[in-house]
Amino acid sequence: SEIQVFATNRHATSTPAVVRVAWAGAQPGAAAASAQAGGFQIQPKLYILAVGVAQYQHADITKLGLPAKDAKDFAAALQAQQGKLYREVEVKLLTDAQATADAVVDGLDWLQKQVTQHDVGMVFLAGHGLNDATQGYTYLPVNADPERVRRTGVPMDEFRKTLAALPGKAVFFLDTCHSGNVLGGSGKVSRSVLTNDVTGVINELASAQNGVVVFSSSTGRQLSYEDAAWGNGAFTKAVVEGLGGKANYQNTGRITHK
């Protein structure tokens, strides 16, 4: 079993201290015999919903260069873990034209139906996001309409509810505060850094109540960057390199969320 302990005061809640507790009462060879008989295997299965939008349909939403490739590269990096940490890796990949609002919500439904208490669920988002006065921080799918954000955007609350309800472990990778104007096609609306403050979203998702591990490309009023010379956005490039082995600082052969 795994026990998570949180420290909380009026300012914040800490990241969890995790302790694994193993029961050693079984007779020698019992676990192997159980596995041979088709018993439960502890090795988890990984489910990934990876979404990346660069080529927005609406003329007023600034197009990006690499989010679709970022989603593909992230999924490929985790698929390489099949047979290693995970007994199986299953991916639902939505990029550009596939990443409509309905498809993203359907992907969240798929994730919630698939993940069991023994598994891990991951969501990766790359593209534009903005704060809507009505529904808060909102991810912009490929068919987003700046004049109809409530009907065409996917609010972060959808992701929060799904990830917090997963019976297994949940990990969220958020890369949505890209540099440059979100609404720059017509010049009618400029994005200020303040309108894309994701700090509240990150804090809520990572709270003890929700228990989601969150990786974000930016916090507060920071921006996220991409450059064709890198082949990825800065965030995805760092994550993929880390998963590829560069984050193995302690030379244990294992990379954890810490």
Side-chain angles (χ1 to χ4, degrees):
S1 298
E2 185 175 271
I3 300 173
Q4 295 187 350
V5 182
F6 299 87
T8 303
N9 64 16
R10 63 188 178 89
H11 299 292
T13 299
S14 74
T15 56
V18 181
V19 178
R20 289 185 176 274
V21 181
W23 177 61
Q27 296 181 356
S34 175
Q36 291 177 357
F40 169 69
Q41 297 181 5
I42 295 177
Q43 194 176 24
K45 184 173 179 178
L46 174 62
Y47 294 91
I48 302 170
L49 172 63
V51 185
V53 180
Q55 301 302 309
Y56 286 91
Q57 296 172 357
H58 200 285
D60 289 346
I61 301 180
T62 303
K63 291 180 172 58
L64 296 166
L66 296 166
K69 183 176 183 296
D70 286 345
K72 294 175 183 177
D73 290 351
F74 174 85
L78 268 301
Q79 282 176 314
Q81 288 296 314
Q82 182 161 305
K84 297 178 182 179
L85 177 60
Y86 303 102
R87 71 179 187 274
E88 190 175 347
V89 177
E90 191 169 332
V91 175
K92 182 176 285 293
L93 178 65
L94 302 174
T95 58
D96 285 336
Q98 302 169 323
T100 63
D102 287 343
V104 173
V105 174
D106 287 344
L108 291 173
D109 288 339
W110 166 80
L111 194 69
Q112 190 161 4
K113 291 175 181 176
Q114 297 300 318
V115 176
T116 73
Q117 62 180 323
H118 308 296
D119 301 325
V120 177
M122 290 185 181
V123 174
F124 175 91
L125 290 183
H128 278 312
L130 54 79
N131 277 329
D132 178 71
T134 302
Q135 60 189 21
Y137 196 74
T138 302
Y139 179 69
L140 299 184
V142 69
N143 59 332
D145 183 340
E147 302 298 325
R148 302 170 62 245
V149 174
R150 287 186 67 181
R151 294 185 178 275
T152 61
V154 183
M156 279 296 135
D157 195 50
E158 290 286 343
F159 298 96
R160 181 195 62 77
K161 289 187 294 186
T162 299
L163 291 167
L166 293 182
K169 296 179 182 177
V171 189
F172 191 27
F173 295 84
L174 182 62
D175 188 9
T176 60
C177 273
H178 282 270
S179 59
N181 292 336
V182 173
L183 305 176
S186 66
K188 292 187 295 184
V189 184
S190 294
R191 183 190 80 166
S192 69
V193 181
L194 181 61
T195 62
N196 292 278
D197 189 341
V198 298
T199 303
V201 175
I202 296 168
N203 289 344
E204 183 178 7
L205 279 164
S207 69
Q209 179 181 356
N210 292 317
V212 180
V213 177
V214 182
F215 290 87
S216 176
S217 60
S218 57
T219 59
R221 302 181 182 183
Q222 299 171 335
L223 296 175
S224 304
Y225 291 93
E226 61 174 27
D227 190 315
W230 303 336
N232 288 112
F235 175 72
T236 302
K237 184 174 180 64
V239 170
V240 170
E241 285 185 352
L243 293 174
K246 290 190 176 182
N248 183 27
Y249 297 118
Q250 297 180 342
N251 297 317
T252 62
R254 296 181 61 192
I255 297 167
T256 73
H257 70 275
K258 295 181 180 179

